């Protein structure tokens, strides 16, 4: 019964995230800088280990330094920093979108292993971050190509799955711990990339903010790289490489 | 067979089901028919349109009552017979309108606030009125568009939105808060009935994501939606207040205090600004740190331009730097004291020459005023006075008081005075003490004083020469008090002033004295004694041996709590009131702090009493439970001698008495064995008698412990008769401590004259006791006497505590019965054999020690009770026959023991 409910929740969450655009009802902020700042701060907020990792460690009794040593992000769980920096804006947003889906699934699986408040807040934060990604993608599309203002669909690129639960409970705890550590690292990196957007935009703005935005938007067609990536068959390792240490 | 039973059970069950089903069907049919008939009965005669009506206030409302044909036929009525009522009040006919034969309407123009039952009634033949239908009319208003929708996110809590619902609708109106992101909708938040103007959503706030929020108001008359507001929840946040960690002073700067705090973790993501306020401890108004100085995220701030050695109280709050959102609540207040600074002013200084008898010297009393706190800038440790004679060495004095008396020569002196605190000295106040023959050549003139504006003014004409300063001296002229001079110092440029120092200080008293604190109170000084504006009060308090502590109190207060006092200590307290020009002490007041706080004694005494009571109760319960054991060890059961069997041992003793043994020894155990020693007059052996006395032989029973008490009385004094055939040592031991208690007057038996006096003896110091009596043994003796008729006999009662070796588990009673139930021949045969074995044992002091006890079980077989009764009967008959005086029982029994007869 519980498993069915969890599956249902998981399904609804994933669908909700994947169909962000199709169910969009509210109005996104039309201000690029405001939205970018929100994304940056959200990333700052979510990279804070006290929001998720620390409660998990506390609840699961993984305090000891020895165990902490084993609580490491596993390569391949999240895109590496280098890979994120290499992505175009649309691809970056698409990658964020996809990774958020993965995180939501993982959070759903960790529902029983986290304090309720922390879990609920983390889930809402992820969903909120997805909302802002959607708005940013919409803004970028709208600024360049009206045709591109189609619902954003997840690219066919590498979509990592949550780690398969190890057989041992202890191993599973360490695995989840490592995943959460990776999550915070990923959000930190995402925040840095987003700050990089602001800097580039700032430089561009010296000339013409509107033009620069449009130029950037032209450069970042809605997830064209993702579309291109798939046929090329770029190995996942290029995007989901080893995490930065 | 079991199969058949099962079949029967199944059939029974089936039949039961069938029966139940039938019952159900019948019941259902009955209910159906009943319902039908009732339904026919309650079919209304009319209908009103509309069925339910919520009417808007101020509108017109029309209702139509339509009669049914059947009713009209039955009751012979038409629409003309219809009349309307609201509640019990008939509606005026002017508002009616007969539409046709069956329908009549009523109209309410411009309907007002109403919530009533509107009924359609008919007037039947015979002026009988009947209500045929009714509806409820409720009037109200549709909801107004909610206005001023605003939301707040208290940090750590969920978002709460509130709105102005507009006018009263007088109807049940539901308010629903709706919210959504660009990508998803949230569940509706329905306002509760008791708080229809606000609602708290049930999802945690997500900062940095724009959310759109609006309110829908709906009631029976309509539905309306407020304007949508779109915001980032972080712009509606009300942060938790900062927590002040410390307020630190600086030794280098006495005018600053550094405030440090911790605040929301939001400062990692957003810029905060702060609002810092401070005041002196006794002030009521707050000073504000300029906002521009605290407009960025920080965790400390140094407040400047503070007074030295002054306690300040701080509070702080924060909000988003951009001003979006709400100020947090104020933090808890925290206080700190600025460091001391050197006294900022020299004390006012004056002197007084006192008469001296010594030739060539004079006594000078130097006196000065204490510095008010705002000039002392710390705690004044002492004053340094320097007296310098012209071209001579200086004399230095360090004084804690405010006066100094010195003997000076008649020369001119220059005195300087400085006040010193922890940081440094004040400037020196210089005073010239002229030589004794100095004549003031230019005194002031026209000195006059006059009241004005509730103060006493003094005016004078200055001399022509320049004047450094003036000193005014005065005292209060009163019949009730002596003239106590006071003084004040004025600058040399003025020639008019008023007496500024208060003429008296406030009188302080205690309002409440606790163990470690005391609440002081005082009255404001009357205007006529203030002599200026009272700037502040200073409370000085000290113990008998302690240093004086000064506390400054704002002039607006009339109460102050001294804290951190020592319990059970005498304190002396006084107050000084300060104007700009000086202060005046009030009278000293003493109080003693109590040793215990209020309720503390009760808190100690009550638990102790309860514990004592509990202990006592437990003790009593314990004693009650262990009463047998305690009684055995502390006060054993001392039998009442008056109930001793010895006392009742007479031929008149009823046989039932002998059967009380099992009551006395319910467990069948005895405490000891008594030996009956029968004292004989002559010492010759009585072989015949001995033979007859064989029947006295009885078993020596086991003892089960000894009762404590007087000489182990229960052991030693048991008078259960026994054959005195114990071994020598035992006999000697027992007889050595034998005490004669009673004399048994042997009156013979069956008309035989007793030749010996018979004594009852016991080794115990205890009198022969009832519980130690062994009626059955006596019975034996009696029976034996009766049966054998051997007289005179020498009898001894001797005790023996030794346990029986052979039959420890057989009760004495049983054994005795066994003994008593043996037939005579057996006794005789056995006793002859036993006596032959023991008769050679020596006798002591005229007493016969005989009848070594033999276990009855060993000696005799199971007894026959009937024989016991027979023996007893014989004894009784003897007693009746011979009368009491002939009895060999003690004749006199005194309380507390048997006395020898």
């Amino acid at each position: 019964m519980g498993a069915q409910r969890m599956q249902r929740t998981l399904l609804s969450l994933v669908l909700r995230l994947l169909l962000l655009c199709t169910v969009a009802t509210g109005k996104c902020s039309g201000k690029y800088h405001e939205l970018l700042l929100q994304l940056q701060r959200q990333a700052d907020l979510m990279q804070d280990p006290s929001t998720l990792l620390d409660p998990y460690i506390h609840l699961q009794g993984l305090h000891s330094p020895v165990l902490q040593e084993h609580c490491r992000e596993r390569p391949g769980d999240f895109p590496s920093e280098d890979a994120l920096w290499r992505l175009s804006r649309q691809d970056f947003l698409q990658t964020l979108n996809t990774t958020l889906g993965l995180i939501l699934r993982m959070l759903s699986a960790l529902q029983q292993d986290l304090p309720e408040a922390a879990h609920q807040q983390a889930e809402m934060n992820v969903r909120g971050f997805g909302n802002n990604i959607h708005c940013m993608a919409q803004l970028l599309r709208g600024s360049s190509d009206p045709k591109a203002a189609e619902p954003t669909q997840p690219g066919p690129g590498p979509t990592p799955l949550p780690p398969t639960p190890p057989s041992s409970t202890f191993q599973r705890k360490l695995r989840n711990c490592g995943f959460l550590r990776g999550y915070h690292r990923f959000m930190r990196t995402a925040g840095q990339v987003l700050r990089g957007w602001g800097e580039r935009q700032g430089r561009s703005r010296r000339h013409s903010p509107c033009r620069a935005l449009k130029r950037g938007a032209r450069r970042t067609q809605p997830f064209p790289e993702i579309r291109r990536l798939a046929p090329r068959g770029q190995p996942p390792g290029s995007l989901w490489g080893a995490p930065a240490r | 067979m079991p199969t058949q039973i099962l079949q029967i059970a199944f059939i029974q069950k089936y039949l039961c089901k069938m029966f139940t089903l039938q019952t159900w069907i019948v019941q259902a049919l009955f209910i159906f028919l009943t319902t039908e008939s009732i339904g026919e009965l309650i079919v209304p005669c009319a209908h009103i349109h509309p069925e339910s009506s919520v009417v808007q206030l101020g509108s017109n409302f029309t209702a139509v009552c339509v009669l049914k044909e059947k009713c009209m036929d039955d009751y012979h009525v038409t629409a003309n017979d219809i009349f309307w009522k609201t509640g019990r009040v008939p509606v005026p006919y002017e508002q009616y309108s007969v539409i046709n034969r069956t329908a009549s309407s009523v109209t309410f123009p411009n309907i007002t606030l109403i919530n009533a039952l509107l009924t359609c009634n008919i007037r039947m033949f015979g002026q009988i009125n009947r209500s045929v239908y009714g509806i409820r009319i409720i009037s109200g208003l549709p909801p107004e568009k909610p206005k001023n929708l605003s939301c707040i996110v208290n940090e750590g809590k969920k978002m709460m939105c509130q709105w102005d619902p507009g006018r009263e609708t007088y109807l049940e109106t539901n308010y629903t808060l709706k919210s959504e992101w660009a990508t998803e909708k949230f569940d509706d938040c329905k306002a509760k009935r008791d708080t229809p103007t606000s609602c708290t959503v049930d999802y945690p706030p997500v900062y940095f994501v724009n959310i759109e929020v609006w309110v829908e108001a709906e009631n029976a008359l309509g539905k309306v939606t407020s304007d949508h507001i779109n915001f980032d929840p972080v712009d509606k946040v009300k942060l938790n207040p900062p927590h002040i960690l410390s307020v630190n002073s600086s030794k280098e700067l006495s005018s600053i205090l550094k405030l440090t705090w911790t605040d929301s973790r939001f400062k990692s993501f957003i810029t905060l600004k702060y609002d810092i306020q401070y005041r002196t401890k006794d002030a009521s108004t707050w000073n504000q740190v300029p906002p521009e100085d605290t407009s960025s995220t920080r965790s400390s701030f140094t407040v400047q331009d503070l007074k030295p050695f002054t306690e300040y109280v701080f509070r702080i709050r924060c909000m988003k730097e951009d001003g979006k959102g709400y100020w947090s609540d104020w933090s808890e207040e925290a206080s700190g004291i600025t460091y001391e600074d050197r006294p900022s002013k020299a004390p006012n200084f004056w002197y007084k020459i006192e008469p001296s008898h010594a030739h060539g010297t004079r006594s000078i009393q130097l006196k000065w005023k204490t510095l008010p706190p705002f000039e002392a800038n710390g705690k004044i440790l002492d004053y340094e006075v320097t007296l310098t004679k012209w071209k001579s060495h200086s004399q230095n004095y360090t004084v804690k008081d405010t006066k100094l008396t010195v003997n000076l020569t008649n020369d001119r002196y220059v005195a300087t005075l400085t006040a010193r605190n922890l940081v440094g000295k004040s400037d020196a106040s210089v005073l010239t003490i002229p030589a004794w023959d100095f004549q003031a050549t230019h005194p002031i003139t026209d000195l006059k004083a006059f009241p004005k504006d509730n103060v006493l003014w003094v005016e004078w004409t200055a001399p022509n020469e320049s004047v450094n300063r003036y000193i005014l001296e005065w005292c209060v002229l009163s019949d009730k008090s002596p003239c106590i001079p006071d003084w004040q110092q004025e600058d040399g440029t003025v020639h008019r002033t008023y007496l500024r120092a208060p003429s008296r200080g406030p009188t302080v008293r205690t309002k409440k004295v606790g163990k470690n604190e005391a609440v002081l109170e005082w009255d404001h000084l009357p205007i006529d004694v203030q002599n200026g504006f009272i700037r502040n009060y200073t409370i000085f308090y000290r113990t008998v041996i302690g240093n004086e502590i000064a506390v400054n109190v704002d002039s607006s207060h009339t109460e102050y709590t001294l804290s951190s006092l020592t319990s059970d200590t005498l304190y002396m307290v006084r107050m000084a009131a300060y104007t700009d020009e000086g202060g005046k002490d009030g009278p000293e007041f003493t109080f003693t702090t109590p040793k215990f706080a209020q309720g503390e004694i009760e808190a100690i005494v009550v638990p102790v009493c309860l514990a004592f009571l509990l202990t006592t109760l437990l003790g009593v319960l314990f004693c009650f439970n262990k009463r047998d054991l305690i009684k055995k060890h502390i006060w054993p059961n001392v039998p009442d001698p008056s109930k001793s069997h010895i006392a009742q041992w007479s031929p008149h003793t009823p046989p039932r008495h002998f059967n009380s043994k099992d009551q006395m020894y319910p467990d069948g155990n005895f405490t000891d064995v008594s030996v009956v020693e029968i004292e004989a007059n002559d010492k010759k052996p009585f072989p015949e008698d001995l033979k007859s006395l064989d029947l006295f032989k009885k078993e020596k029973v086991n003892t089960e412990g000894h009762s404590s008490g007087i000489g182990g009385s229960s052991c030693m004094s048991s008078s259960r008769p026994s054959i005195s055939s114990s071994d020598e040592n035992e006999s000697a031991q027992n007889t050595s401590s034998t005490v004669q208690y009673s004399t048994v007057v042997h009156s013979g038996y069956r008309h035989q004259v007793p030749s010996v006096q018979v004594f009852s003896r016991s080794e115990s110091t205890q009198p022969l006791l009832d519980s130690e009596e062994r009626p059955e043994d006596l019975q034996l003796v009696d029976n034996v006497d009766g049966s054998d008729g051997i007289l005179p006999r020498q009898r001894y009662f001797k005790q023996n505590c030794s346990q029986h070796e052979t039959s420890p588990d057989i009760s004495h009673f049983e054994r005795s019965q066994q003994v008593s139930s043996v037939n005579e021949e057996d006794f005789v045969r056995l006793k002859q054999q036993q006596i032959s074995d023991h008769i050679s044992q020596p006798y002591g002091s005229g007493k016969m020690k005989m009848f070594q006890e033999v276990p009855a079980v060993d000696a005799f077989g199971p007894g026959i009770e009937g024989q016991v009764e027979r023996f007893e009967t014989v004894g009784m008959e003897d007693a009746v026959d011979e009368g009491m005086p002939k009895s060999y029982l003690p004749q006199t029994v005194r309380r507390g023991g048997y006395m020898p007869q």
Side-chain angles (χ1 to χ4, degrees), chain B residues 528-679:
Chain B
D528 54 345
V529 300
Q530 286 184 9
N531 297 338
F533 295 105
I534 302 294
R535 298 300 182 191
N536 69 286
Y537 297 110
T538 302
I539 300 172
F540 302 93
Y541 65 101
R542 63 186 170 90
T543 61
V544 176
I545 55 171
N547 291 329
E548 190 169 71
I549 300 168
V551 180
N552 294 324
V553 183
D554 189 75
S555 60
S556 60
H557 294 187
T558 58
E559 195 175 295
Y560 187 82
T561 302
L562 299 177
S563 55
S564 303
L565 302 181
T566 311
S567 62
D568 195 22
T569 306
L570 177 70
Y571 280 91
M572 280 150 279
V573 60
R574 63 189 164 85
M575 279 188 74
Y578 287 95
T579 62
D580 288 337
E581 296 301 320
K584 184 74 177 177
D585 288 347
E588 196 167 68
F589 182 83
T590 59
F591 65 91
T592 305
T593 51
K595 196 168 186 176
F596 298 101
Q598 190 175 9
E600 195 172 329
I601 294 176
E602 289 84 346
I604 294 170
V605 169
V606 169
V608 167
C609 289
L610 286 176
F612 177 74
L613 283 174
L614 190 64
T615 308
T616 307
L617 189 63
L618 288 175
V620 168
L621 285 174
F622 177 79
C623 293
F624 184 75
N625 282 332
K626 301 289 182 183
R627 59 187 185 278
D628 293 337
L629 191 66
I630 292 169
K631 188 175 181 184
K632 182 179 174 184
H633 285 91
I634 298 177
W635 61 85
N637 188 17
V638 180
D640 185 357
S642 64
K643 296 176 182 174
S644 167
H645 179 68
I646 292 292
Q648 300 171 7
W649 188 23
S650 71
H652 299 287
T653 304
R656 59 175 171 78
H657 183 71
F658 297 150
N659 293 329
S660 64
K661 178 174 62 181
D662 51 353
Q663 294 174 354
M664 296 161 61
Y665 302 99
D667 54 353
N669 293 323
F670 301 151
T671 54
D672 56 28
V673 174
S674 296
V675 177
V676 179
E677 293 181 357
I678 304 171
E679 193 170 343

Side-chain angles (χ1 to χ4, degrees), chain B residues 348-364:
Chain B
N348 289 343
F349 193 23
W350 190 231
Y351 73 99
K352 182 181 174 186
I353 300 173
E354 294 178 345
S356 174
H357 303 292
H359 180 69
T361 63
R362 47 189 176 152
S363 179
I364 306 291

Side-chain angles (χ1 to χ4, degrees), chain B residues 148-162:
Chain B
N148 301 328
L149 174 62
S150 64
C151 298
I152 183 171
V153 183
N154 287 300
E155 185 184 353
K157 295 180 180 173
K158 293 174 179 172
M159 183 174 72
M160 192 268 287
C161 296
Q162 57 188 359

